Amino acid sequence: MIALDEIDRALVRRLEADSQASAGALGRELGLSQPACWRRIQRLREAGLFRGARLDLDLARLGFGVTVFLGIKLAARGRVSLEDFERAVSAIPEVQIVEHVLGLFDYRLRVVARDLSDFERVLRRRIMTLPGVGQVEANVMLSEERRPGPLG
């Protein structure tokens, strides 16, 4: 774990909001020179604090109007391996996130679809046919509010 001072925390918050911000612009905001800001970003990157930059896609504009969270409990019979399930579910393009969780379900999936009938097709033809799938619970997302990260 890397020790962060207040400037590092402010830098991380700004980069979380806009990962494409330049070191010069960030430095001006934080009262640093461009080289000093760049060195701090590099130190944080080398420490493994950043896993990479991501593109925040507007799924609705891309034609994906429905997001569904699925809870998946694997069937006890057959003892399918977790790796087999994870490999198979990760190959489904509509499945955006696969989380192995502890609780009522073994996995939580974030699935996108064009509409509810498209989601039904994905569920019936792809997800329900995965190795080891037992119980499935679906929650359709109505709205989403983004909150700042733990440093925000």
Side-chain angles (χ1 to χ4, degrees), residues 87-101:
R87 187 173 25 262
V89 76
S90 296
I92 300 171
E94 293 86 357
V95 175
Q96 291 194 312
I97 298 174
V98 178
E99 298 171 328
H100 188 204
V101 296

Side-chain angles (χ1 to χ4, degrees), residues 12 27 34 41 54 56 58 61 64 70-71 73 78 97 113 115 129 132 146 150:
V12 169
Q34 183 274 339
I41 292 169
R54 293 187 181 171
D56 187 14
D58 186 330
R61 288 187 180 189
F64 295 96
L70 291 180
K73 181 140 188 89
I97 298 174
D115 52 33
T129 62
R146 300 274 174 138

Side-chain angles (χ1 to χ4, degrees), residues 11 15 18-29 34 37-38 41:
L11 187 57
L15 286 170
D18 180 7
S19 65
Q20 298 298 310
S22 71
L26 291 169
R28 282 189 296 279
E29 276 186 58
Q34 183 274 339
C37 187
W38 184 85
I41 292 169

